[in-house]
């Protein structure tokens, strides 16, 4: 990310999703971070939080599978 600080414009992506497109200064200012790297991490965390809140997403399916596994292991055996 060190090189990113010297770029004119940045396009930050994660898992095929565009998180932000702007100048390094604007990204730092908008995310209230001292570095582009910290701005990127902030944007990744925000995207992950949005993903967890959407029903029917991979995270939602994983949560359902985990809950089902826990319920199965807690059932009394005959």
């Amino acid at each position: 990310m060190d090189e990113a600080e010297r770029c004119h414009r940045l396009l930050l992506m994660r898992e095929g999703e565009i998180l932000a497109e702007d100048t390094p200064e604007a990204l730092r200012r908008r995310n209230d971070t001292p570095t582009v790297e910290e701005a990127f991490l902030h944007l990744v965390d925000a995207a992950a939080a949005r993903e967890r809140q959407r029903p029917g997403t991979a995270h939602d399916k994983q949560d359902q599978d985990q809950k089902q596994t826990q319920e199965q292991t807690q059932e009394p055996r005959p």
Side-chain angles (χ1 to χ4, degrees):
M1 286 288 189
D2 189 42
E3 304 88 33
E5 296 284 351
R6 297 187 295 269
C7 292
H8 295 284
R9 291 195 62 80
L10 298 171
L11 178 74
L12 302 178
M13 294 182 70
R14 178 166 169 95
E15 297 179 359
E17 178 186 355
I18 296 174
L19 301 177
E21 181 180 6
D22 217 330
T23 65
E25 176 60 30
L27 289 170
R28 289 190 304 267
R29 191 174 340 110
R30 186 172 67 203
N31 292 286
D32 194 28
T33 58
T35 66
V36 170
E37 181 176 11
E38 288 181 48
F40 175 71
L41 294 174
H42 174 80
L43 290 165
V44 167
D45 288 344
R50 285 191 307 274
E51 183 72 19
R52 284 191 299 272
Q53 292 176 349
R54 273 195 314 218
T57 62
H59 293 288
D60 189 41
K61 174 82 170 110
Q62 288 172 352
D63 290 344
Q64 289 174 356
D65 291 346
Q66 185 178 22
K67 183 178 178 181
Q68 185 178 18
T69 301
Q70 288 173 347
E71 288 171 354
Q72 290 172 349
T73 58
Q74 292 176 358
E75 290 178 6
R77 294 187 182 176

